[in-house]
Amino acid sequence: MRSLLSNRDITVDEIYEIFDLAAFYLKNGIKSDLAGKVIFSLFFESSTRTETSFSLAASKLGCLVEKVNVETVALKKGEHLVDFFASLNALLPNAFVVRHSQSGILHLLEKYTDCCIVNAGDGTNEHPTQGLIDAFTILLLKEKIEGLNVLVCGDIIRSRVAHSTIPILQRLGATVAISGPLSFMPLIQVEEVVYHSNFSAAAKSADVIIMLRTQTERTGQKVLAGTTAPFRLDENVLKDLGRDVLIMHPGPVHRNCEISNAVLEDSRNAILTQVRNSQFVRAAVLNFLIKS
Ligand code: CP
């Protein structure tokens, strides 16, 4: 059965198939297309949006959603993670939805399971459904992705959202640039991604601006990117932006750090639209994977 560990696991045609189904669910409501299927939900790192929207999507699809409380399981008695997953697999679920702090761990766990695994965020590696949600939201609000200039600003090097969202937008035809403090940038030059040291100048010509949260849980860092200029999206930057610019953020937001109160109030911000769309995209992903 197909898993979704990275957006590289799916073709452009399949991405549009998922978007078509997500758009159908958005318009008509999520149907009981997966009645009786069993989903195991395991979040080894905290989540609000991803866990809740997956759970809601799976419930509306008619699935039985079993939230495995990772705080109380036999891992605490010394069981190895692969044996833990093999035991859950023996209960014959149809899918696992997993978030874990270790980058790439799901590729190992996939070998111990027979059903599909959906990556709900693995360390700094990837968050493929967030990438799909971001692209779907842009497509809905801009009516295209091809040819758009997208600027992604913040903690690129540690952001699994950036690592999923940037490649999917490029594959769908957008031109993506990055900005942020140099210490938050990839160590090697990423193909076809231009770096802008002057965030406010680059923002002026962007069709879409995606701000990222500093991953403080991975660095213990007290200093947040964007607490002050030059990498903060605030009133000074906002006043020079185009009327149709789309302002996005995967959440959770560090309010008044990378993005200011005024921007969060601005009608061009689509942050809650991203959250709204998440249940429809995740329902479409579950349907696509379990039925394929
Ligand atoms: N965007 C995102 O993954 O948010 P959560 O950590 O709340 O799931």
Side-chain angles (χ1 to χ4, degrees), residues 36 121 227 253:
T227 306
V253 164

Side-chain angles (χ1 to χ4, degrees), residues 155 158 184 213-224:
D155 190 0
R158 280 174 289 266
F184 283 12
R213 179 180 67 92
T214 304
Q215 301 285 297
T216 44
E217 69 273 35
R218 304 197 196 286
T219 61
Q221 221 171 325
K222 294 279 182 278
V223 180
L224 308 174

Side-chain angles (χ1 to χ4, degrees), residues 180-227:
L182 269 180
S183 59
F184 283 12
M185 293 300 112
L187 298 175
I188 53 164
Q189 184 161 359
V190 182
E191 209 178 329
E192 294 169 7
V193 176
V194 172
Y195 170 70
H196 292 289
S197 56
N198 188 335
F199 167 63
S200 57
K204 281 181 202 168
S205 57
D207 300 301
V208 180
I209 301 172
I210 302 178
M211 299 304 294
L212 299 172
R213 179 180 67 92
T214 304
Q215 301 285 297
T216 44
E217 69 273 35
R218 304 197 196 286
T219 61
Q221 221 171 325
K222 294 279 182 278
V223 180
L224 308 174
T227 306

Side-chain angles (χ1 to χ4, degrees), residues 13 30 34 42 58 70 107 117 126 149 154 162 165 170 222 224:
D13 284 348
I30 298 172
L34 296 178
L42 296 100
V70 296
H107 290 277
I117 301 185
E126 281 222 37
N149 286 317
T165 295
Q170 289 179 313
K222 294 279 182 278
L224 308 174

Side-chain angles (χ1 to χ4, degrees), residues 109-121:
L109 298 179
E110 199 186 18
K111 298 187 196 334
Y112 292 83
T113 57
D114 302 314
C115 65
C116 62
I117 301 185
V118 188
N119 181 358

Side-chain angles (χ1 to χ4, degrees), residues 86-254:
S87 297
L88 292 176
N89 182 62
L91 295 170
L92 304 178
N94 298 98
F96 287 95
V97 175
V98 185
R99 172 170 287 188
H100 200 282
S101 60
Q102 208 171 317
S103 301
I105 189 83
L106 303 184
H107 290 277
L108 172 66
L109 298 179
E110 199 186 18
K111 298 187 196 334
Y112 292 83
T113 57
D114 302 314
C115 65
C116 62
I117 301 185
V118 188
N119 181 358
D122 62 327
T124 60
N125 184 37
E126 281 222 37
H127 193 354
T129 56
Q130 185 67 51
L132 288 166
I133 291 159
D134 295 348
F136 179 74
T137 302
I138 293 170
L139 186 59
L140 277 190
L141 297 178
K142 291 287 203 186
E143 296 177 354
K144 64 174 188 175
I145 293 177
E146 190 157 11
L148 292 181
N149 286 317
V150 180
L151 178 63
V152 185
C153 179
D155 190 0
I156 307 279
I157 193 167
R158 280 174 289 266
S159 170
R160 56 192 175 207
V161 173
H163 300 151
S164 287
T165 295
I166 292 174
I168 196 172
L169 291 177
Q170 289 179 313
R171 286 175 74 200
L172 298 179
T175 301
V176 182
I178 54 176
S179 188
L182 269 180
S183 59
F184 283 12
M185 293 300 112
L187 298 175
I188 53 164
Q189 184 161 359
V190 182
E191 209 178 329
E192 294 169 7
V193 176
V194 172
Y195 170 70
H196 292 289
S197 56
N198 188 335
F199 167 63
S200 57
K204 281 181 202 168
S205 57
D207 300 301
V208 180
I209 301 172
I210 302 178
M211 299 304 294
L212 299 172
R213 179 180 67 92
T214 304
Q215 301 285 297
T216 44
E217 69 273 35
R218 304 197 196 286
T219 61
Q221 221 171 325
K222 294 279 182 278
V223 180
L224 308 174
T227 306
T228 55
F231 299 110
R232 170 183 155 104
L233 181 48
D234 60 14
E235 300 80 321
N236 290 328
V237 181
L238 197 62
K239 67 177 169 36
D240 293 326
L241 299 183
R243 270 209 342 239
D244 297 331
V245 72
L246 204 57
I247 297 167
M248 299 173 65
H249 191 305
V253 164
H254 281 152

